[in-house]
Amino acid sequence: MTTPTEQDPDLAWLDDATRRFAQTEVLPFLSDWEDAGEFPRTLYRRAADLGWLAMGYPEALGGTPCSWQLRNALVIALARQTGSGGLLASLFSHNIGLPPLVRHGSAALQQEVVPAVLRGEKIAALAITEPGGGSDVASLRTTARLEGDAYVLNGEKVFITSGMRADWLTVAVRTDPQNKGPGGISMLLVPGDSPGLQRTALRKMGWHCSDTAQLHFDEVRVPARFLIGQEGAGFKMIMGNFNGERLSMAAMALGFAECCFDEALAWARQRKTFGQALVNHQVVRHKLVDMKMRLESTRAWVQAVTVQADDGVMDADWVAQVCLLKNHATQTMQFCADQAVQILGGMGFMRGTQSERIYREVKVMMIGGGAEEIMKELAARQLGL
Ligand SMILES: Cc1cc2nc3c(=O)[nH]c(=O)nc-3n(C[C@H](O)[C@H](O)[C@H](O)COP(=O)(O)OP(=O)(O)OC[C@H]3O[C@@H](n4cnc5c(N)ncnc54)[C@H](O)[C@@H]3O)c2cc1C
C-alpha cells in the first residue's frame, strides 16, 4: 500500500509524526474516550503544537499557509493511524467552522477569534443543520433579528460536531424573515457561553469520542459585529465551505479504508485456519485484492482533485468531481470496513478493533457534509446532465 511517504518522499516526516502521535497519544486511551463521549481538551493544544491545527491558514492569523496536498496527506495519515472518525471530526471541527470567517469576516473579527483556535486554546464549530432538515439548507428556520447593536437568535440546530464545548459557533441564520429562500440567510459567530444557548449531548452509532450537540437558541444576543460578511450572503458562504469539507471527508474516508486494509492484512497473515494462514486461502486473498483495487482508485482520484484545488481549478467540473469523489471514497470505506470485519471473523465484531469502530462510522461519512443523493444531484447539475 502506498503511503504519503512513498508518493512524496518529502512527506516522510508526516508518516512518522502521525504514527507516533497515534501510538503514544491516542490509541492507548481511545476506548476510554469513546466511553466518555469526548477526548481531553489538551489534545487540541498538542495538535496545535505539532502545527496541525494551523495548516492552511494565513500567517497573519497564526496559521501556516500550505497546499491542499499537504493538508489532505495529514488527514489521510491521521485517519489511517488512529482509525477514529470521532477524533478527527472534533479535533478539526475548526476547519469547517472558521473558513467563512477567514474568507469573509473583518480583519478585527478574524484576529479576535482565529489565533486562539489555531493555538488549540479555543474550539470552533459550524452549525447549519436543523431538526427540520439538513439537506435543504436554503429553507433553514433559525432567525436572527437586529435589535440596536445586537442580533437576537431564536431556533434550533442539531447534530453539531464539537457542539457541546465549542467556544465559537459559526451559525447559519435567517436575518430576513421576508425572504424564505437562500437570499435571507446570513452567518453569525456565537460565543459558546452565550446566555440563552442550551446544548444537549446526542448519543450516536459511532464517532463516540466526538461531542455532538443539539443547540437551542432562546433570545440569544450577540454583538452585531459578529456578523460574518454581509447580511444575506450566508448561503453562498455555506456552499463554498462545503467543497473543502467534502474533499477532506474523501481524504478521511480513504485513510479509514486503508486502516481497515492494514488491520485485515495483519490479521490474515497471523491467523491460521485449516492448517494455513488466512491470507493463503484464495478467497480471503481476493477480498484483500478487492479492497486494494478500490483503495488505489480512490487514492489516485483524491490526489487528482487535490492537485486541481492547489492549481486553483475550482470550476463547475471540479465541484462535480468533489461530489462524486466523496461518494466514491465513502463507498470504498464502506466496502473495506465490511470486508475487514469479515476477515477478522468474530474478532471483527468485538469492541477494540479498528475495523469494528470504522464499520460503525461508515454511515455518517455517507450522510454528513451532504448525503450521497444530494452529492449526485449537485454533480448532475454541475455537469449539465
Ligand atoms: C455525527 C454527525 C455530525 C454532524 N456534524 C454537523 C456539523 O458539525 N454541522 C452541521 O451543520 N451539520 C452536521 N451534521 C449534519 C449533516 O450534515 C446532515 O445530517 C446531512 O446534511 C443530512 O441532513 P439530514 O440529517 O437533516 O437529512 P435530511 O435532509 O432529512 O435527509 C434524509 C435523507 O433523505 C435523503 N434525501 C434528502 N434529500 C433528498 C433528495 N433531494 N433526493 C433524494 N434523497 C434525498 C438522503 O438519503 C438523506 O440522508 C452532522 C451529522 C452527523 C450524523
Side-chain angles (χ1 to χ4, degrees):
M1 180 60 45
T2 34
T3 65
T5 318
E6 285 155 335
Q7 262 191 355
D8 182 351
D10 289 344
L11 294 180
W13 62 272
L14 196 56
D15 268 356
D16 293 343
T18 51
R19 187 175 299 111
R20 230 180 3 258
F21 177 76
Q23 287 178 356
T24 61
E25 306 196 43
V26 175
L27 295 176
F29 317 107
L30 190 52
S31 289
D32 290 344
W33 298 345
E34 291 273 293
D35 290 344
E38 61 180 33
F39 54 83
R41 268 188 92 113
T42 48
L43 209 65
Y44 289 92
R45 291 267 199 153
R46 185 68 192 115
D49 290 345
L50 289 163
W52 295 344
L53 299 191
M55 280 168 74
Y57 290 86
E59 254 174 320
L61 298 173
T64 312
C66 70
S67 64
W68 268 103
Q69 288 177 77
L70 187 56
R71 292 178 69 178
N72 277 348
L74 172 71
V75 168
I76 295 166
L78 268 179
R80 184 176 188 174
Q81 300 296 343
T82 67
S84 171
L87 180 83
L88 265 74
S90 272
L91 198 57
F92 294 102
S93 60
H94 70 294
N95 281 343
I96 55 174
L98 290 185
L101 173 62
V102 171
R103 293 199 193 110
H104 307 279
S106 69
L109 195 54
Q110 290 175 1
Q111 283 297 343
E112 190 172 342
V113 174
V114 179
V117 175
L118 301 187
R119 287 196 301 270
E121 294 163 9
K122 302 279 185 191
I123 298 171
L126 178 72
I128 294 172
T129 306
E130 301 189 346
S135 303
D136 187 6
V137 174
S139 63
L140 64 84
R141 293 205 285 223
T142 297
T143 57
R145 65 175 193 277
L146 191 57
E147 264 186 24
D149 60 357
Y151 281 100
V152 183
L153 281 79
N154 283 286
E156 200 101 34
K157 297 287 174 183
V158 75
F159 312 146
I160 305 308
T161 299
S162 297
M164 286 307 291
R165 53 185 186 177
D167 301 287
W168 291 104
L169 293 149
T170 303
V171 185
V173 290
R174 189 165 298 285
T175 41
D176 182 354
Q178 307 308 323
N179 188 337
K180 305 280 185 216
I185 296 172
S186 306
M187 297 298 269
L188 262 181
L189 274 178
V190 177
D193 59 0
S194 300
L197 170 59
Q198 193 188 322
R199 326 196 215 197
T200 309
L202 300 173
R203 300 184 67 208
K204 314 180 289 291
M205 179 193 286
W207 282 17
H208 289 170
C209 71
S210 166
D211 56 303
T212 309
Q214 178 141 356
L215 308 175
H216 180 76
F217 299 89
D218 182 10
E219 293 286 292
V220 173
R221 295 182 76 84
V222 300
R225 64 188 176 79
F226 284 179
L227 177 72
I228 299 175
Q230 303 292 315
E231 263 197 21
F235 188 76
K236 265 192 157 172
M237 289 182 204
I238 295 167
M239 291 301 126
N241 205 32
F242 270 142
N243 292 323
E245 178 179 5
R246 289 165 185 162
L247 182 54
S248 293
M249 286 184 80
M252 261 169 80
L254 170 62
F256 295 134
E258 285 175 337
C259 185
C260 290
F261 179 88
D262 292 344
E263 190 173 53
L265 179 58
W267 182 264
R269 281 182 172 151
Q270 61 93 16
R271 181 78 169 178
K272 284 206 168 79
T273 66
F274 302 96
Q276 53 183 336
L278 282 181
V279 73
N280 291 328
H281 297 293
Q282 189 186 50
V283 170
V284 174
R285 201 161 58 239
H286 284 192
K287 285 186 201 300
L288 291 161
V289 169
D290 284 340
M291 292 163 83
K292 178 126 176 92
M293 179 181 76
R294 287 165 173 82
L295 287 168
E296 293 296 342
S297 66
T298 305
R299 178 176 281 284
W301 201 357
V302 167
Q303 178 70 6
V305 175
T306 305
V307 166
Q308 282 186 314
D310 282 334
D311 290 345
V313 184
M314 290 162 144
D315 53 11
D317 184 67
W318 181 81
V319 172
Q321 294 283 321
V322 171
C323 294
L324 300 176
L325 172 61
K326 179 178 180 274
N327 285 358
H328 183 71
T330 52
Q331 284 176 15
T332 294
M333 176 181 170
Q334 183 178 44
F335 181 86
C336 290
D338 185 59
Q339 297 298 302
V341 168
Q342 193 69 24
I343 291 171
L344 265 70
M347 189 54 79
F349 199 67
M350 294 298 121
R351 286 286 159 101
T353 62
Q354 301 285 57
S355 301
E356 182 270 341
R357 185 179 336 95
I358 292 171
Y359 188 88
R360 285 184 288 103
E361 297 184 346
V362 163
K363 291 315 291 186
V364 65
M365 299 293 283
M366 302 179 113
I367 293 168
E372 221 173 45
E373 297 83 351
I374 302 298
M375 294 300 88
K376 289 182 192 174
E377 271 307 289
L378 182 53
R381 269 206 307 282
Q382 302 295 318
L383 294 170
L385 302 184

